[in-house]
């Protein structure tokens, strides 16, 4: 198709991996699943997720936050124990650790592989360290073996955050991870419009978590119903080119940031955190988890990889990719680096490309003393690369539902930008 720079390309940097019929199906079943079916739904999910690559027990949860909080409640670590975690994650994950009286120690993340720097762990592990929490970011996977070896050597729990990286039922986290967490929120691959699954290595710990979780109140069917009805609107604003084009035009007339508006509508827990996450999924959400995960479309996943690689291999030399050397490359969002991210987004938007910075809640996990220490810039333990990534990331509308001609238009627009690496620190330019 013909496209001229400045003409709006009606594709957004986030999309919902479903058909609108899936949402309607969920709505139809919101009040139809009797309590007598609850145990069968949970058992079916556990059977589905009992793959030879990881036989660890499965616990369906309301969210990844719920699974982490539940794990920590059962472990009940002494106050001021330390957890080393990937320096890029959503703030709520660090917040949950702090709610439990734990001190967060961030470990830097490589930009080109998105791997936490395991070589730094010996310098970060101390007498109060109790766990390591690592996150697979943007759908990319890194090799867990070095982290498993370090955790075993120091007798630490290993928490594997796979919230952004579900890529089918054959990769369900490392079997030696103490806890593996998968999210199926609204913009995740194979979305179930909420819910999460946790795999717990220790059977005794799993039983304790299950027992405690059974005392939690149930999410109401009406709450899930309200979310699904809202997501019908969001789906059309993210997945329908016709609606996207006209929604952006109308909202811009009133000075409304359509991206910020839609992202706000998709926030899972906008209210107080603890009471929001300490709930069990309702029957309708359990049903949706089973319904969707029984229908994982590997062909769609493969198409996502092909399209992501198509753009990655054609990026102009002035654009710095992220995670391009990952151990296993899958695509949940398509981030790149820009020396001046805000300016780059304005220029891409002017060219008709709906680039954005706030597509996800991912942010820098700062050391406990933040950046106040005058030594932070000189301290090799400070997460320098993670900070640079968070400060300079730009998300592009590259995903499996974007046609190839749209991807070509995005590449054409990127080629019109000025060099993006000119203001990068020279150490990062050399590395990348």
């Amino acid at each position: 198709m013909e496209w001229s720079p400045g003409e709006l390309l009606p594709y957004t940097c986030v999309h919902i991996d479903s058909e609108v019929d899936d949402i309607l199906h969920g709505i139809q079943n919101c009040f139809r699943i009797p309590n007598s079916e609850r145990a069968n739904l949970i058992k079916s999910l556990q059977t589905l997720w009992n793959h030879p690559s990881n036989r660890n027990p499965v616990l369906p949860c309301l969210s990844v936050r719920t699974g982490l909080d539940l794990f920590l409640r059962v472990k009940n670590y002494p106050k001021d124990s330390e957890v080393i975690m990937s320096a890029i994650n959503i703030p709520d994950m660090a917040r949950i650790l702090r709610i439990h009286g734990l001190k967060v120690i961030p470990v830097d993340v490589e930009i080109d592989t998105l791997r936490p720097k395991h070589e730094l762990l010996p310098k970060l592990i101390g007498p109060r360290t109790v766990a390591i929490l690592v996150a697979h970011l943007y759908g990319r996977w890194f090799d867990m073996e070095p982290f498993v070896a370090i955790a075993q050597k120091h007798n630490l729990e290993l928490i594997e955050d796979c919230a952004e990286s579900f890529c089918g039922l054959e990769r369900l986290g490392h079997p030696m991870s103490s806890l593996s967490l998968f999210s199926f929120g609204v913009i995740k691959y194979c979305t179930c419009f909420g819910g999460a699954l946790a795999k717990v290595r220790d059977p005794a710990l799993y039983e304790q978590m299950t027992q405690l979780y059974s005392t939690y109140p149930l999410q109401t069917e009406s709450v899930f119903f309200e979310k699904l009805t809202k997501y019908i609107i969001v789906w059309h604003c993210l997945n329908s080119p016709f609606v996207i084009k006209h929604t952006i035009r109308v909202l811009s007339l009133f000075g409304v940031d359509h991206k910020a508006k839609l992202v706000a509508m998709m926030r899972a827990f906008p209210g107080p955190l603890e009471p929001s996450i300490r709930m069990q999924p309702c029957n309708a959400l359990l049903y949706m988890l089973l319904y969707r995960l029984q229908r994982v479309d590997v062909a769609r996943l493969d198409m996502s990889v092909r399209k992501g690689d198509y753009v990655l291999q054609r990026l102009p030399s002035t654009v710095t990719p992220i995670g391009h050397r990952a151990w296993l490359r899958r695509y949940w969002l398509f981030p790149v680096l820009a020396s001046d991210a805000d300016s780059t987004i304005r220029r891409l938007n002017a060219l008709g490309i709906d680039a954005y910075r706030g597509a996800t809640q991912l942010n820098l996990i700062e050391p406990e003393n933040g950046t106040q220490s005058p030594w932070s810039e000189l301290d090799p333990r400070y997460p320098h690369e993670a900070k640079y990534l968070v400060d300079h990331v730009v998300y592009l509308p590259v995903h499996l539902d974007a046609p190839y001609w749209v991807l070509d238009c995005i590449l054409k627009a990127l080629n019109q930008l000025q060099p993006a690496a000119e203001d990068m620190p020279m150490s990062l330019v050399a590395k990348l």
Side-chain angles (χ1 to χ4, degrees):
M1 295 182 64
E2 291 296 327
W3 174 80
S4 300
E7 179 186 354
L8 177 65
L9 275 179
Y11 291 86
T12 60
C13 56
V14 295
H15 81 299
I16 298 179
D17 181 38
S18 80
E19 299 297 334
V20 72
D21 287 348
D22 295 318
I23 308 178
L24 294 173
H25 183 74
I27 289 174
Q28 291 170 358
N29 286 280
C30 261
F31 303 100
R32 292 183 180 180
I33 313 297
N35 286 331
S36 59
E37 286 297 311
R38 184 175 183 85
N40 289 334
L41 289 170
I42 293 174
K43 184 177 181 179
S44 297
L45 280 167
Q46 292 169 334
T47 300
L48 183 65
W49 275 58
N50 185 20
H51 190 271
S53 66
N54 188 336
R55 297 288 192 187
N56 294 342
V58 179
L59 180 62
C61 297
L62 182 67
S63 70
V64 161
R65 298 169 179 85
T66 304
L68 177 62
D69 176 68
L70 185 64
F71 175 87
L72 295 174
R73 291 190 73 187
V74 172
K75 295 299 292 185
N76 193 27
Y77 292 118
K79 186 179 180 181
D80 291 329
S81 295
E82 297 176 351
V83 175
I84 300 171
M85 71 180 295
S86 298
I88 298 176
N89 209 314
I90 62 171
D92 277 354
M93 296 296 276
R95 183 179 170 192
I96 289 168
L97 294 175
R98 294 181 177 120
I99 285 172
H100 287 269
L102 303 175
K103 184 177 180 180
V104 176
I105 309 295
V107 59
D108 204 3
V109 175
E110 284 188 342
I111 288 176
D112 53 356
T113 65
L114 291 175
R115 171 187 67 87
K117 298 180 180 180
H118 59 74
E119 62 273 16
L120 295 179
L121 291 178
K123 299 177 181 178
L124 300 175
I125 293 172
R128 293 189 294 181
T129 306
V130 294
I132 301 170
L133 192 164
V134 293
H136 301 285
L137 301 172
Y138 300 127
R140 285 32 164 220
W141 288 78
F142 52 84
D143 185 5
M144 285 293 295
E145 292 298 338
F147 299 93
V148 170
I150 292 171
Q152 291 178 338
K153 177 180 179 180
H154 295 274
N155 194 29
L156 303 174
E157 302 286 5
L158 179 58
I159 303 169
E160 187 179 6
D161 182 352
C162 311
E164 301 177 359
S165 301
F166 177 70
C167 59
L169 297 172
E170 295 186 357
R171 184 172 294 279
L172 300 179
H174 197 286
M176 295 306 295
S177 294
S178 307
L179 179 70
S180 300
L181 298 162
F182 291 83
S183 171
F184 297 96
V186 63
I187 61 171
K188 300 294 169 51
Y189 174 69
C190 194
T191 177
C192 303
F193 311 100
L197 288 168
K199 292 187 76 73
V200 186
R201 189 187 69 197
D202 182 357
L205 177 63
Y206 169 77
E207 291 299 330
Q208 290 178 284
M209 290 175 64
T210 300
Q211 184 176 2
L212 176 59
Y213 201 34
S214 68
T215 67
Y216 284 23
L218 263 65
Q219 174 195 40
T220 64
E221 312 285 349
S222 59
V223 167
F224 190 52
F225 175 83
E226 289 173 7
K227 284 189 175 184
L228 290 175
T229 53
K230 177 179 66 176
Y231 291 154
I232 289 181
I233 299 172
V234 176
W235 187 95
H236 283 91
C237 292
L238 293 178
N239 288 40
S240 169
F242 176 83
V243 175
I244 292 169
K245 179 177 289 189
H246 293 284
T247 297
I248 292 175
R249 286 176 175 171
V250 170
L251 291 180
S252 64
L253 292 175
F254 295 93
V256 177
D257 183 342
H258 68 283
K259 294 185 281 282
K261 194 77 172 176
L262 290 171
V263 168
M265 291 178 70
M266 293 185 290
R267 292 289 185 240
F269 301 102
L273 184 62
E274 289 178 73
S276 299
I277 65 175
R278 290 180 179 173
M279 302 189 78
Q280 299 182 65
C282 65
N283 296 339
L285 178 50
L286 289 173
Y287 171 83
M288 181 59 80
L289 282 164
L290 182 61
Y291 173 81
R292 292 282 290 156
L293 292 172
Q294 285 177 330
R295 294 163 175 78
V296 173
D297 191 341
V298 177
R300 279 180 64 80
L301 176 62
D302 291 342
M303 177 59 73
S304 172
V305 174
R306 287 197 295 273
K307 289 187 175 180
D309 284 347
Y310 179 87
V311 175
L312 179 64
Q313 294 162 6
R314 292 165 175 78
L315 285 175
S317 59
T318 53
V319 176
T320 302
I322 294 174
H324 52 296
R325 295 193 180 101
W327 182 66
L328 181 66
R329 202 165 55 236
R330 298 290 183 265
Y331 294 93
W332 179 77
L333 303 184
F334 195 95
V336 296
L337 292 177
S339 57
D340 186 338
D342 292 332
S343 173
T344 298
I345 286 173
R346 286 193 296 271
R347 291 154 65 196
L348 285 172
N349 290 169
L351 290 170
I353 308 301
D354 196 43
Y356 193 39
R357 278 181 58 75
T360 171
Q361 297 181 65
L362 285 177
N363 211 326
L364 179 69
I365 306 300
E366 289 273 13
E368 293 292 318
N369 62 355
T371 56
Q372 300 304 311
S373 169
W375 304 105
S376 62
E377 292 302 317
L378 302 176
D379 191 340
R381 296 170 299 177
Y382 184 81
H384 296 284
E385 284 196 59
K387 178 172 173 55
Y388 191 87
L389 189 157
V390 169
D391 288 346
H392 296 85
V393 67
V394 171
Y395 298 103
L396 301 176
V398 175
H399 52 74
L400 59 89
D401 287 331
Y404 279 103
W405 71 266
V406 169
L407 305 183
D408 287 333
C409 293
I410 295 170
L411 291 165
K412 181 179 179 180
L414 291 172
N415 274 293
Q416 295 191 26
L417 299 180
Q418 293 296 320
E422 56 191 4
D423 297 325
M424 276 190 186
M426 291 307 297
S427 59
L428 280 178
V429 174
K431 178 179 178 62
L432 296 167

